[in-house]
Amino acid sequence: MTGEIENGTESNTEGDTGTERRRERMSRRSMLGLSGTGLIAGAAAGVGLDRTAFAKEGRPVSTEAVSFYGGHQAGIATPVQDRLHFAAFDVMTGDRAKLVRLLKEWTEAAAAMTAGRPVGDGAVGGLSVAPPDDTGEALGLPASRLTLTIGFGPGLFEKDGKDRFGLRAKRPAPLVDLPHFPGDNLDPARSGGDIAVQACADDPQVAVHAIRNLARIGFGTVAIRWSQLGFGKTSSTTPDAQTPRNLFGFKDGTENIAGTDADLLGKHVWAGRGDGAPWMAGGSYLVARRIRMHIEIWDRTPLGEQEDIIGRDKGEGAPAGAAREHDPVVLERLKRDSHVRLAHPGSNGGARILRRGYSFTDGTDGLGRLEAGLFFLAYQRDPRTGFVRIQQSLASDAMNEYIQHVGSGIFACPPGVRKGGYWGETLFA
Amino acid sequence: MRVAPYLAATGVAAVSMTLLAACGDGDGGKTRAGAIAVTATDKSCSVAKTDLTAGKVTFEITNKGSEVNEFEVLRPDGSILAERENIGPGTKTDFVTKLNPGSYTLLCSAGQTGKGPTTTVTVTGKAAGAGDPRLATAAAEYKTYVLAQVNDSYTRTEAFVAAVKAGDVAKAKELYAPSRIGWESVESVAEKFGDLDPRMDAREADLKPEERKNWSGWHLLEKALWKDGSVKGKEKYADQLLKDLGEVRTRLNTLTLDPVNDMAAGAKSLMDEVATGKVTGEEEAFSHTDLVDFKGNVDGAKKVYDLLRPIVRERDAALAADLDGGFKDVYDLLAKHEKNGSYVSYDTVGEADRKALSDAVNALGEPLSKLAKVVAG
């Protein structure tokens, strides 16, 4: 499966969003665009255009809202948006009721913001002597396909040997403390966190607004430990679409799990009821890694060597020995230490993860080097057989000379929220 | 820093201004439903409607004059109930406030001098929470506190100034931070004296190049003491500081303090001071006595909260609980840095401890910003 969705909706709530269906919807929309607006209402009722619509080119119309509610959280199988603001929080309170209160307040705010509405009573029209409930920088902007996805880190279940919230027994086995991988140079100030929130949107202002308002609501209960902005998605999940390039100029993550492939999602991404933690059924495990790229060194590397390191050609993105990007990878044709070969399911006992990472550039460091790289985000059913397995395989990756893992986090992302429910309800019930 | 409109808006002035009210050219333009159109020019202040209903009132103010305008709602005694500053020529702005039954004077002040044409409005209907007589009592008690704090600062500054003039660097260093505590605890009120505050408390880094030659006040002496190790030639600045502080004390007597703007909003701005200046170590760049100022700011905010707490508990018990917890956390953290009855030098406080202080200040500042809405009822 080399699918890369650039469109589609969450498969969980619309059971039949297969490729055929999506193509049909695309063409309908294109047709409507030509034949006038009178038909739109009827067509929308029929195929759910209120969820995610598509322009003629098949690209998502970024003004649309993605539903917050469903069996799975949005922001995992959802088509990858253009921008990211990711934040990891420490929980400052030991009071379980206070934490649950915050999760309920966050859920309410998240449902409003993802629908394109302001938080609480809004940003304007309130008393002049009081600060508005919403910070206001997203006023007038559409929902921009904002998704907010929450995950719980190991520290929520146990911190410094303490069972702060009575959750120790509920820690899922797949939520492991990640081992040290060769070459890791992790900065504690960019690692860990008791709770993570991933905000993805097609407009950076919308994503930043969302994290800013959640942080504000959280003051006193949680504090931001670290955060990361991402500007260019480095993977997508749409068949037939070209894979976006990373900052090395290559297409990587071509063999991603499609957000519409219910079989693969069920096998590799969604946690099952029988996986040992019933409260996680329908959820997923997120591994986040801040991967610094030694851009200047890479740029001095000869083209042939770059292509050997990756295992693909730079122009088309075809695997070594093939012609097109989505041609099958024949592992034996790739160098033994090439990145694609070592990361490939065929080298890892079939291990697969759903990647939705972003490029980042935080200006330059004190030495004038581009402070840039990949903010790697991968969702999987079990990190032990997913990320950990693949990352151990990558110990001999020729690319390691040009990258360094400098930040890290692992989070258990609970299942989706039903109307009237809240983030983490199955955990705290 | 801003000039206190309170100074111009004393009771007597307001009464005479009411007589000059230039009412009703009636041109409110297009106004949102429910909003009261106010049209200000340099010489007039017309209000579309003068019989208002108690509760939340939205004024839609249009400045058709050539100067920056300011809109004020005055009580019968001439004190300011609420205000909106910096309304530029040709601009329109919404101003939302809560009004209880009674008679109010609306003032448009072209040039923001606190003087200008007025219109009287009558508010009828059911009283909102702001009419609670306990608020007036709290405001009166707060004024007593403010005066006592400025007095304390004055007395300690007298001793500090004496040490500076005697050229006793060691003693002056010892007396410097304590001389500021009273001032820091009521900084939000003291800052209303836009002419005096910069003279007394400006930081060198905040000044424009042309302003630096006129720099004076506490921080000039701080730099001399800690950086130069000598206060020779600085005697005149010491004298000026004491004189300015004395004037603050005198002027404070004439102020009417308001439970919403001065107390609730003031308490929030005290925590803002901590968040922007103290936690970063910018305030006391040379002496590193930031934690002393920090404590002064927090004490001042706590005093406001203590005075308003019974009302806050009644109206929003959850907010009161957040504030109780927030103050406790900040004080607990501060206590970690106490040493011999004062605080450790801020340059010895590490990044992790600064982050903890910053988190606690945010955790307190956010609920504190909700106090004004609750007090306004």
PDB file of all heavy atoms in Angstrom, chain A residues 171-192:
ATOM      1  N   ARG A 171      -1.944   2.420  33.320  1.00  0.00           N
ATOM      2  CA  ARG A 171      -0.927   2.705  32.300  1.00  0.00           C
ATOM      3  C   ARG A 171      -0.862   1.543  31.308  1.00  0.00           C
ATOM      4  O   ARG A 171      -0.602   0.409  31.692  1.00  0.00           O
ATOM      5  CB  ARG A 171       0.435   2.916  32.950  1.00  0.00           C
ATOM      6  CG  ARG A 171       1.527   3.158  31.913  1.00  0.00           C
ATOM      7  CD  ARG A 171       2.838   3.586  32.539  1.00  0.00           C
ATOM      8  NE  ARG A 171       3.877   3.666  31.517  1.00  0.00           N
ATOM      9  CZ  ARG A 171       5.093   4.161  31.727  1.00  0.00           C
ATOM     10  NH1 ARG A 171       5.394   4.623  32.925  1.00  0.00           N
ATOM     11  NH2 ARG A 171       5.964   4.203  30.766  1.00  0.00           N
ATOM     12  N   PRO A 172      -1.062   1.844  30.020  1.00  0.00           N
ATOM     13  CA  PRO A 172      -1.060   0.755  29.039  1.00  0.00           C
ATOM     14  C   PRO A 172       0.366   0.247  28.805  1.00  0.00           C
ATOM     15  O   PRO A 172       1.319   1.047  28.807  1.00  0.00           O
ATOM     16  CB  PRO A 172      -1.594   1.429  27.763  1.00  0.00           C
ATOM     17  CG  PRO A 172      -2.025   2.805  28.159  1.00  0.00           C
ATOM     18  CD  PRO A 172      -1.312   3.153  29.422  1.00  0.00           C
ATOM     19  N   ALA A 173       0.486  -1.054  28.590  1.00  0.00           N
ATOM     20  CA  ALA A 173       1.811  -1.640  28.345  1.00  0.00           C
ATOM     21  C   ALA A 173       2.517  -1.013  27.130  1.00  0.00           C
ATOM     22  O   ALA A 173       3.728  -0.812  27.158  1.00  0.00           O
ATOM     23  CB  ALA A 173       1.688  -3.149  28.184  1.00  0.00           C
ATOM     24  N   PRO A 174       1.784  -0.663  26.064  1.00  0.00           N
ATOM     25  CA  PRO A 174       2.478  -0.069  24.907  1.00  0.00           C
ATOM     26  C   PRO A 174       3.063   1.330  25.188  1.00  0.00           C
ATOM     27  O   PRO A 174       3.908   1.804  24.443  1.00  0.00           O
ATOM     28  CB  PRO A 174       1.384   0.024  23.836  1.00  0.00           C
ATOM     29  CG  PRO A 174       0.364  -0.987  24.241  1.00  0.00           C
ATOM     30  CD  PRO A 174       0.384  -0.987  25.741  1.00  0.00           C
ATOM     31  N   LEU A 175       2.597   1.980  26.276  1.00  0.00           N
ATOM     32  CA  LEU A 175       3.126   3.315  26.603  1.00  0.00           C
ATOM     33  C   LEU A 175       4.441   3.126  27.369  1.00  0.00           C
ATOM     34  O   LEU A 175       4.527   3.344  28.576  1.00  0.00           O
ATOM     35  CB  LEU A 175       2.117   4.110  27.441  1.00  0.00           C
ATOM     36  CG  LEU A 175       2.499   5.569  27.723  1.00  0.00           C
ATOM     37  CD1 LEU A 175       2.418   6.406  26.443  1.00  0.00           C
ATOM     38  CD2 LEU A 175       1.597   6.179  28.798  1.00  0.00           C
ATOM     39  N   VAL A 176       5.444   2.700  26.625  1.00  0.00           N
ATOM     40  CA  VAL A 176       6.737   2.383  27.253  1.00  0.00           C
ATOM     41  C   VAL A 176       7.562   3.652  27.458  1.00  0.00           C
ATOM     42  O   VAL A 176       7.296   4.683  26.850  1.00  0.00           O
ATOM     43  CB  VAL A 176       7.556   1.421  26.365  1.00  0.00           C
ATOM     44  CG1 VAL A 176       6.912   0.054  26.351  1.00  0.00           C
ATOM     45  CG2 VAL A 176       7.698   1.978  24.949  1.00  0.00           C
ATOM     46  N   ASP A 177       8.536   3.589  28.357  1.00  0.00           N
ATOM     47  CA  ASP A 177       9.558   4.636  28.382  1.00  0.00           C
ATOM     48  C   ASP A 177      10.502   4.276  27.251  1.00  0.00           C
ATOM     49  O   ASP A 177      11.085   3.190  27.231  1.00  0.00           O
ATOM     50  CB  ASP A 177      10.293   4.625  29.724  1.00  0.00           C
ATOM     51  CG  ASP A 177       9.363   5.038  30.863  1.00  0.00           C
ATOM     52  OD1 ASP A 177       8.674   6.055  30.704  1.00  0.00           O
ATOM     53  OD2 ASP A 177       9.321   4.330  31.882  1.00  0.00           O
ATOM     54  N   LEU A 178      10.641   5.175  26.299  1.00  0.00           N
ATOM     55  CA  LEU A 178      11.461   4.855  25.122  1.00  0.00           C
ATOM     56  C   LEU A 178      12.895   4.579  25.549  1.00  0.00           C
ATOM     57  O   LEU A 178      13.448   5.279  26.397  1.00  0.00           O
ATOM     58  CB  LEU A 178      11.424   6.011  24.115  1.00  0.00           C
ATOM     59  CG  LEU A 178      10.088   6.255  23.404  1.00  0.00           C
ATOM     60  CD1 LEU A 178      10.163   7.518  22.549  1.00  0.00           C
ATOM     61  CD2 LEU A 178       9.697   5.050  22.551  1.00  0.00           C
ATOM     62  N   PRO A 179      13.522   3.551  24.957  1.00  0.00           N
ATOM     63  CA  PRO A 179      14.925   3.273  25.293  1.00  0.00           C
ATOM     64  C   PRO A 179      15.849   4.324  24.673  1.00  0.00           C
ATOM     65  O   PRO A 179      15.410   5.107  23.820  1.00  0.00           O
ATOM     66  CB  PRO A 179      15.160   1.908  24.640  1.00  0.00           C
ATOM     67  CG  PRO A 179      14.202   1.869  23.489  1.00  0.00           C
ATOM     68  CD  PRO A 179      12.990   2.658  23.930  1.00  0.00           C
ATOM     69  N   HIS A 180      17.089   4.345  25.118  1.00  0.00           N
ATOM     70  CA  HIS A 180      18.071   5.218  24.465  1.00  0.00           C
ATOM     71  C   HIS A 180      18.453   4.592  23.130  1.00  0.00           C
ATOM     72  O   HIS A 180      18.816   3.424  23.070  1.00  0.00           O
ATOM     73  CB  HIS A 180      19.310   5.374  25.343  1.00  0.00           C
ATOM     74  CG  HIS A 180      20.393   6.175  24.676  1.00  0.00           C
ATOM     75  ND1 HIS A 180      20.444   7.547  24.740  1.00  0.00           N
ATOM     76  CD2 HIS A 180      21.437   5.789  23.895  1.00  0.00           C
ATOM     77  CE1 HIS A 180      21.479   7.976  24.037  1.00  0.00           C
ATOM     78  NE2 HIS A 180      22.095   6.931  23.519  1.00  0.00           N
ATOM     79  N   PHE A 181      18.341   5.384  22.077  1.00  0.00           N
ATOM     80  CA  PHE A 181      18.754   4.894  20.763  1.00  0.00           C
ATOM     81  C   PHE A 181      20.138   5.456  20.444  1.00  0.00           C
ATOM     82  O   PHE A 181      20.452   6.589  20.837  1.00  0.00           O
ATOM     83  CB  PHE A 181      17.762   5.342  19.686  1.00  0.00           C
ATOM     84  CG  PHE A 181      16.360   4.809  19.892  1.00  0.00           C
ATOM     85  CD1 PHE A 181      15.364   5.628  20.406  1.00  0.00           C
ATOM     86  CD2 PHE A 181      16.041   3.499  19.580  1.00  0.00           C
ATOM     87  CE1 PHE A 181      14.075   5.147  20.597  1.00  0.00           C
ATOM     88  CE2 PHE A 181      14.757   3.007  19.765  1.00  0.00           C
ATOM     89  CZ  PHE A 181      13.767   3.833  20.278  1.00  0.00           C
ATOM     90  N   PRO A 182      20.963   4.680  19.724  1.00  0.00           N
ATOM     91  CA  PRO A 182      22.294   5.183  19.383  1.00  0.00           C
ATOM     92  C   PRO A 182      22.203   6.541  18.684  1.00  0.00           C
ATOM     93  O   PRO A 182      21.363   6.720  17.801  1.00  0.00           O
ATOM     94  CB  PRO A 182      22.837   4.120  18.420  1.00  0.00           C
ATOM     95  CG  PRO A 182      22.055   2.879  18.715  1.00  0.00           C
ATOM     96  CD  PRO A 182      20.707   3.337  19.174  1.00  0.00           C
ATOM     97  N   GLY A 183      23.037   7.471  19.109  1.00  0.00           N
ATOM     98  CA  GLY A 183      23.052   8.787  18.469  1.00  0.00           C
ATOM     99  C   GLY A 183      22.112   9.793  19.102  1.00  0.00           C
ATOM    100  O   GLY A 183      22.176  10.985  18.803  1.00  0.00           O
ATOM    101  N   ASP A 184      21.236   9.345  20.008  1.00  0.00           N
ATOM    102  CA  ASP A 184      20.323  10.284  20.674  1.00  0.00           C
ATOM    103  C   ASP A 184      21.106  11.350  21.444  1.00  0.00           C
ATOM    104  O   ASP A 184      22.096  11.034  22.107  1.00  0.00           O
ATOM    105  CB  ASP A 184      19.446   9.539  21.704  1.00  0.00           C
ATOM    106  CG  ASP A 184      18.210   8.906  21.065  1.00  0.00           C
ATOM    107  OD1 ASP A 184      18.096   8.996  19.832  1.00  0.00           O
ATOM    108  OD2 ASP A 184      17.402   8.340  21.814  1.00  0.00           O
ATOM    109  N   ASN A 185      20.659  12.570  21.346  1.00  0.00           N
ATOM    110  CA  ASN A 185      21.243  13.656  22.160  1.00  0.00           C
ATOM    111  C   ASN A 185      20.076  14.485  22.679  1.00  0.00           C
ATOM    112  O   ASN A 185      19.886  15.634  22.308  1.00  0.00           O
ATOM    113  CB  ASN A 185      22.182  14.497  21.294  1.00  0.00           C
ATOM    114  CG  ASN A 185      22.866  15.588  22.098  1.00  0.00           C
ATOM    115  OD1 ASN A 185      22.949  15.494  23.325  1.00  0.00           O
ATOM    116  ND2 ASN A 185      23.326  16.626  21.414  1.00  0.00           N
ATOM    117  N   LEU A 186      19.266  13.849  23.514  1.00  0.00           N
ATOM    118  CA  LEU A 186      17.981  14.441  23.885  1.00  0.00           C
ATOM    119  C   LEU A 186      18.133  15.566  24.903  1.00  0.00           C
ATOM    120  O   LEU A 186      18.842  15.428  25.888  1.00  0.00           O
ATOM    121  CB  LEU A 186      17.048  13.356  24.434  1.00  0.00           C
ATOM    122  CG  LEU A 186      16.784  12.182  23.486  1.00  0.00           C
ATOM    123  CD1 LEU A 186      15.815  11.194  24.137  1.00  0.00           C
ATOM    124  CD2 LEU A 186      16.241  12.668  22.147  1.00  0.00           C
ATOM    125  N   ASP A 187      17.444  16.652  24.617  1.00  0.00           N
ATOM    126  CA  ASP A 187      17.417  17.807  25.516  1.00  0.00           C
ATOM    127  C   ASP A 187      16.182  17.640  26.407  1.00  0.00           C
ATOM    128  O   ASP A 187      15.057  17.619  25.898  1.00  0.00           O
ATOM    129  CB  ASP A 187      17.311  19.076  24.658  1.00  0.00           C
ATOM    130  CG  ASP A 187      17.164  20.335  25.500  1.00  0.00           C
ATOM    131  OD1 ASP A 187      17.130  20.225  26.736  1.00  0.00           O
ATOM    132  OD2 ASP A 187      17.076  21.428  24.898  1.00  0.00           O
ATOM    133  N   PRO A 188      16.377  17.526  27.723  1.00  0.00           N
ATOM    134  CA  PRO A 188      15.217  17.343  28.606  1.00  0.00           C
ATOM    135  C   PRO A 188      14.206  18.483  28.457  1.00  0.00           C
ATOM    136  O   PRO A 188      13.010  18.283  28.664  1.00  0.00           O
ATOM    137  CB  PRO A 188      15.817  17.351  30.014  1.00  0.00           C
ATOM    138  CG  PRO A 188      17.273  17.125  29.836  1.00  0.00           C
ATOM    139  CD  PRO A 188      17.643  17.586  28.455  1.00  0.00           C
ATOM    140  N   ALA A 189      14.687  19.676  28.084  1.00  0.00           N
ATOM    141  CA  ALA A 189      13.789  20.819  27.941  1.00  0.00           C
ATOM    142  C   ALA A 189      12.944  20.748  26.669  1.00  0.00           C
ATOM    143  O   ALA A 189      12.073  21.580  26.446  1.00  0.00           O
ATOM    144  CB  ALA A 189      14.598  22.116  27.946  1.00  0.00           C
ATOM    145  N   ARG A 190      13.239  19.764  25.823  1.00  0.00           N
ATOM    146  CA  ARG A 190      12.418  19.551  24.620  1.00  0.00           C
ATOM    147  C   ARG A 190      11.890  18.127  24.585  1.00  0.00           C
ATOM    148  O   ARG A 190      11.630  17.579  23.519  1.00  0.00           O
ATOM    149  CB  ARG A 190      13.248  19.784  23.353  1.00  0.00           C
ATOM    150  CG  ARG A 190      13.630  21.220  23.099  1.00  0.00           C
ATOM    151  CD  ARG A 190      14.234  21.308  21.708  1.00  0.00           C
ATOM    152  NE  ARG A 190      14.895  22.559  21.439  1.00  0.00           N
ATOM    153  CZ  ARG A 190      14.270  23.666  21.030  1.00  0.00           C
ATOM    154  NH1 ARG A 190      12.973  23.661  20.883  1.00  0.00           N
ATOM    155  NH2 ARG A 190      14.957  24.757  20.789  1.00  0.00           N
ATOM    156  N   SER A 191      11.765  17.507  25.744  1.00  0.00           N
ATOM    157  CA  SER A 191      11.348  16.112  25.798  1.00  0.00           C
ATOM    158  C   SER A 191      10.301  15.910  26.887  1.00  0.00           C
ATOM    159  O   SER A 191      10.193  16.695  27.816  1.00  0.00           O
ATOM    160  CB  SER A 191      12.552  15.209  26.099  1.00  0.00           C
ATOM    161  OG  SER A 191      13.507  15.302  25.067  1.00  0.00           O
ATOM    162  N   GLY A 192       9.562  14.812  26.747  1.00  0.00           N
ATOM    163  CA  GLY A 192       8.618  14.403  27.783  1.00  0.00           C
ATOM    164  C   GLY A 192       7.374  15.264  27.810  1.00  0.00           C
ATOM    165  O   GLY A 192       7.003  15.900  26.819  1.00  0.00           O
TER     166      GLY A 192
END
